[in-house]
Amino acid sequence: MKATAGMKPAAASAPSALDELCINTIRTLSIDAVENAKSGHPGLPMGAATMAYALWTRYLKHNPSNPDWPDRDRFVLSAGHGSMLLYSLLHLTGYALPLQELRQFRQWDSKTPGHPESELTRGVEVTTGPLGQGFAMGVGMGIAAHHLAARFNGHGHTPVDHYVYVLCSDGDLMEGVASEAASLAGHLKLGRLVYLYDDNHVTIDGNTSLTFTEDVGERFTAYGWHVQHIDGEDLAAVGRAIEAAQAETGRPSLIVARTAIGYGSPNKAGTAAAHGEPLGADEVRLTKEALDWPLTPEFYVPDEVAAEFRKALPRGQRSEDDWHAKVEAFARTRPDDAALFRRMLAGELTQGWERVLPSFAASDGPMATRTASGKVLNAIAPVIEGLIGGSADLAGSTKTYLEAYPDFSAEEPLGRNIHFGVREFGMASVLNGIARHGGLLPFVATYFVFSDYLRPALRLAALQQSRGVFVFTHDSIGVGEDGPTHQPVEHLASLRAMPGLQLLRPADGNETVAAWKLAIEHPGPTALALTRQNVPVIDEPERIREGTPHGAYVLAEAASGAPDVILIATGSEVAVALGARKILQAEGIEARVVSMPGWGLFEAQPREYRDQVLPPSVRARVSVEAGASLGWRQWVGEDGDIVSLDHFGSSAPASVLFEKFGFTPEVVATRARAVVERTRRQEA
Amino acid sequence: MKATAGMKPAAASAPSALDELCINTIRTLSIDAVENAKSGHPGLPMGAATMAYALWTRYLKHNPSNPDWPDRDRFVLSAGHGSMLLYSLLHLTGYALPLQELRQFRQWDSKTPGHPESELTRGVEVTTGPLGQGFAMGVGMGIAAHHLAARFNGHGHTPVDHYVYVLCSDGDLMEGVASEAASLAGHLKLGRLVYLYDDNHVTIDGNTSLTFTEDVGERFTAYGWHVQHIDGEDLAAVGRAIEAAQAETGRPSLIVARTAIGYGSPNKAGTAAAHGEPLGADEVRLTKEALDWPLTPEFYVPDEVAAEFRKALPRGQRSEDDWHAKVEAFARTRPDDAALFRRMLAGELTQGWERVLPSFAASDGPMATRTASGKVLNAIAPVIEGLIGGSADLAGSTKTYLEAYPDFSAEEPLGRNIHFGVREFGMASVLNGIARHGGLLPFVATYFVFSDYLRPALRLAALQQSRGVFVFTHDSIGVGEDGPTHQPVEHLASLRAMPGLQLLRPADGNETVAAWKLAIEHPGPTALALTRQNVPVIDEPERIREGTPHGAYVLAEAASGAPDVILIATGSEVAVALGARKILQAEGIEARVVSMPGWGLFEAQPREYRDQVLPPSVRARVSVEAGASLGWRQWVGEDGDIVSLDHFGSSAPASVLFEKFGFTPEVVATRARAVVERTRRQEA
């Protein structure tokens, strides 16, 4: 690959006085902001300032006036605690982050939170701080860039032509998620990744000799990465290494850059004391003296420094203009592709896409919701052109393979099926990276119990509102013989507690279709909990289609319209509730069945609707869900009963477990009868 | 180190006919059990049978008559899906696992669940199945063995003299947790670890070429491991490799053993079809024919095979007898050490240990509960001799450093402070390994928000009831400036949903002491949620000491004894509730404050006690907790109010966040007033 269009990298050279001044501005802005906030991490920005300066002024293709320009290079500060490095760079190069925001570092309502938040600050590509995840999201961005390049570049056109740069720390590289992502990136030969490893030998607790003595370079060589070792304070060496990394098109690159944490601080540089707390007034003074920096004013940006950094503005505008010209040329020769390209970058859905959604009839026979999900995925893949994803070595059993499309690989980057390997956390971080990159709509899949493995990435998806779908199959003791290690029990409740996540547990094939529709249209992350085992297709397609978007709805009304009891269920237990309703009906007890696939959606409904579905006057209520009871009291009320599972499962066929653990129509009917009798006594 | 005592390993040699017969017995038992269950994973046992046979009959020091003998070698089947390999070995070598149990593989109430469960089947060291964790638990066992050896071996005595053997798969090695643990094990130079990597090139989705093309051996060399490559079907080569690994005392060993998944199956060997489903009747027949095995009876164990394997019984008994003799000699020369050794192995606490627990007075001034926790840990370390642990690079801020003890390291295995590095999941798995090894009482620590990173290991701790303590500090928006990536919101609720975990969130210093006492005495895992920020010491030491073990108790009674409203709070919000009580009191509203550090404990109390604490007649209730509302309806009832946080936090000083998000006495008093008025209106 040739050098990035629109950029003429200066030849690497010895630092000029201006270079030094620029680098020290990054350092002192970071020092002052942390000091001012009385909180933060000065050490990383001080040590990594040289690298960051080289990258941001000589190589990074970006337009501070338009942080969302699709063909910009991506920069990820995986070591998010060094946020002042990023804020300094954003401010200095001309993003909409005035000095006043740096003065408000870590304060209420500022744009400069303790760790970078993409949802809050323009120019911040991804939310980082939880270590390792920025590293892995960078891999996701690289996958997105490679795939989009494969789809739209060619015949002399390169509308997709950018790099992903990641700055990471010792802590990032100790985290397992970074290992997973690094192994995957090496396997996929993602040549557009350039990772700068701030090898400063210091963590919070002290020197890395305490815990981290592996040969990182050798490890990355084993993953198939291109590895260089440099002095990270040597501006020329940094430049040469970045250029070599850019030139390496068949492998991701790791630049192991030896730096000194807290560079410039006479007493704290190279020690853990520089890591995570303000230097202190005395040391700030000594450091500024050592850097030959005026003690006042604080937050000082020399005019020549400002002028130098702000060159990014016209240069960035030129880069973007060049790109627009490229895209126009592309559009002239391949108008349909260009239209698709623009629509995908805008995240727009094809008009009428939902017409391809399948529907199921009771006559189709029982069907696992994972199977219905697989049919939906395959139906929509042709019309949701940006849909791309895969599973953590469970393509077959999660039913997430797009049959009409090839596998994504180094040799076939056009593929839309990503094999993630047994790397759940890495997979979910890749989803976040793809989602934040833009242009694609990612999905990932594993068994529901292994949502635990990727939970930290699910949280970051919820926090930064990554648009993407987490397909979790095998969602209960319905897993059967694999036993309690593979049977989720607490997972529905535990994810209901997470803000910002749309969690849906559909009851049958048609509710699965409706859930997928919600997922595709949702601007943030959705998690689908799907069965392994077959469930009947419920013969109420209309109610289901209309009801599901409300989160809960009356699936089966009491014959009289005046229920004696309400059975509330989710997922596979909806069929159990319907069975119980029949038994009760035969005894003259009228039961309404409410299907409640999405708690959050239902909570967001107007009270009027909620009271229609769960009339306050009907105090006899029973919930049925093969999972933890936590939270269900909210829906069944004080007089209701909760049919739940508050212990781990067991290894046996699923049907045996449902029987043994009381998830049968008979047991639910018995529990409902008792509730009806109790409430009648109370009312009498 | 010399060869393991009590074992005379046969020189590795070419396989005899009897060897072949024994190996094929493992294969065919596994085939038949999976076929019979119509579910399971035949491929791994078939491919790894040679390795397993070599290890279990020639090297593994174990006594099938006493699976709990402390100086046995540990065997971990990290690839837990190959459970039939382990069950075959347990049955054949004479453990209390009759053939009937193999016939009941994966059935209700059997001792042979789909994945091995240590809590269910004697001889199963740890519960495995969720990939990567067995690998990491093995490292924990190795740490325990090294530490105990350092404490008790010497002067000619070796009461601790065993190895840890782990059989792991491609899937294990793709998981980040294995990477974390491998890096740590290499750093710690754990020479007693012998890992057999079943390198069969096949995962569920197909060939490892799909996803896993890194150079595993080179990666482990980079971690500091001793690495060998062998043909895993070559019995002699396996023996030589195990002996070389045993002889390597300064590094953990990885034996990369190339095998064929489903070895012996004419049509499925070497393919993903052999991985996770029965071979099918036809292929079973063809396989048995290929292995020169009789088609009937199923579950056939030739007499000479039984006799050969059962030699483990007398050999094991001799090994254990030798060890008892060694321990007696040890006891004669070092009686005090031997007494301590026995007590630690038995998991007994020093009589009266709790007398060293500190107590705090209001005059001590405000104190973070993490600080109180640190004081407890340091107070009890001398009397809880098996206490060992550390943090994921947060020793200082989680206050979990044992000041009087050295760091655990390759050079100083006597140390009781383990530096885990930024490897939360690996750390928690190490806790499980130490706990299951026996002899020690492990604790680990990180920020509460990062409980997400180690959640899968916490679940395995809950499932197998690992005795150990998870210290989670920075337990709310009290984290302050670090912002939402570091502020737990959903974590209390999400862990309350997990069965088998004792979760405690103490309100002040003395409740922290009481919580630690519960944790130390609990036979399973405990998680402590502790504040970063200071909270007042509440001047009710007696109520706190007596109340905490009940999970919830009346901390401050309404002056009249007849409360108008009950304020229920946990952790740092208890002080907020006490403040609200004062405000209300001044207005003539009588409030009771209930501190509820442990939901699970409270739920387990008799109804009478629960009704004393939360009298049904008092319907005006308000809960106060700076976390998700999920589940609180259970305690406040339909008429109550929930002061909670159902969105992500923000970056600002903690005091600002509590104010902005409504966790102040004033806001709670206002909410309580409204509830009192509403319930009075209803009652009127």
Side-chain angles (χ1 to χ4, degrees), chain B residues 1-4 73 138-147 149 161-166 181-195 223-228 241-255 408-411 413:
Chain B
M1 274 182 207
K2 61 188 175 47
T4 305
D73 289 338
V139 173
M141 292 180 152
I143 288 173
H146 271 251
H147 178 71
D161 183 22
H162 54 270
Y163 286 88
V164 178
Y165 297 96
V166 176
S183 177
L184 183 63
H187 170 76
L188 292 172
K189 301 183 167 59
L190 299 177
R192 287 259 169 159
L193 299 186
V194 179
Y195 278 54
Y223 290 140
W225 286 52
H226 166 238
V227 175
Q228 305 175 72
I242 292 175
E243 289 173 22
Q246 289 178 333
E248 176 61 52
T249 59
R251 289 181 291 174
S253 261
L254 182 74
I255 300 171
F408 178 82
S409 68
E411 296 69 35

Side-chain angles (χ1 to χ4, degrees), chain B residues 451-501:
Chain B
S451 62
D452 282 349
Y453 272 66
L454 56 75
R455 191 173 170 102
L458 197 56
R459 187 173 208 259
L460 266 196
L463 185 53
Q464 63 188 336
Q465 287 295 294
S466 301
R467 186 177 174 201
V469 186
F470 295 82
V471 179
F472 296 128
T473 66
H474 297 60
D475 71 349
S476 75
I477 47 169
V479 162
E481 291 90 341
D482 274 341
T485 57
H486 285 54
Q487 291 163 357
V489 168
E490 68 276 28
H491 298 76
L492 289 166
S494 83
L495 292 182
R496 284 175 185 142
M498 188 182 283
L501 176 69

Side-chain angles (χ1 to χ4, degrees), chain A residues 176 180 183 210 214 490 638, chain B residues 176 180 183 187 214 459 638:
Chain A
E180 293 177 12
S183 177
L210 276 175
E214 62 171 61
E490 69 275 28
E638 288 170 34
Chain B
E180 292 177 14
S183 177
H187 170 76
E214 62 170 61
R459 187 173 208 259
E638 290 172 31

Side-chain angles (χ1 to χ4, degrees), chain B residues 17-174:
Chain B
L18 180 58
D19 291 333
E20 294 283 10
L21 215 55
C22 288
I23 293 167
N24 284 334
T25 304
I26 295 172
R27 290 183 177 130
T28 53
L29 283 177
S30 302
I31 291 170
D32 286 344
V34 171
E35 204 65 23
N36 194 49
K38 299 188 189 68
S39 159
H41 301 75
L44 185 139
M46 295 164 75
T50 303
M51 285 194 281
Y53 170 68
L55 177 62
W56 276 63
T57 60
R58 301 181 182 180
Y59 300 99
L60 192 74
K61 185 177 74 168
H62 64 131
N63 183 5
S65 307
N66 182 11
D68 299 328
W69 164 38
D71 200 41
R72 70 193 182 280
D73 289 338
R74 269 59 170 182
F75 175 78
V76 174
L77 181 68
S78 187
H81 55 276
S83 55
M84 267 312 303
L85 178 74
L86 181 53
Y87 301 146
S88 299
L89 293 162
L90 291 172
H91 168 69
L92 290 168
T93 58
Y95 285 77
L97 194 72
L99 205 56
Q100 182 54 27
E101 290 288 349
L102 274 59
R103 292 183 190 274
Q104 288 297 305
F105 180 50
R106 293 181 157 241
Q107 304 309 306
W108 179 257
D109 214 19
S110 79
K111 298 283 183 208
T112 47
H115 295 79
E117 298 176 33
S118 63
E119 64 283 13
L120 192 67
T121 313
R122 294 197 71 199
V124 172
E125 297 284 1
V126 287
T127 298
T128 54
L131 288 170
Q133 293 194 62
F135 186 105
M137 288 190 283
V139 173
M141 292 180 152
I143 288 173
H146 271 251
H147 178 71
L148 288 168
R151 283 178 81 162
F152 294 106
N153 290 358
H155 310 289
H157 297 285
T158 55
V160 182
D161 183 22
H162 54 270
Y163 286 88
V164 178
Y165 297 96
V166 176
L167 182 66
C168 59
S169 63
D170 299 299
D172 286 306
L173 298 187
M174 280 189 262

Side-chain angles (χ1 to χ4, degrees), chain A residues 400-443:
Chain A
T400 47
Y401 197 77
L402 306 179
E403 300 292 344
Y405 299 91
D407 291 348
F408 178 82
S409 69
E411 296 70 35
E412 186 49 285
L414 270 173
R416 288 168 62 181
N417 289 293
I418 304 175
H419 288 280
F420 289 101
V422 189
R423 304 180 180 106
E424 295 83 6
F425 190 4
M427 169 176 78
S429 297
V430 164
L431 179 145
N432 281 328
I434 295 175
R436 295 296 312 168
H437 178 280
L440 297 170
L441 205 170
F443 66 92

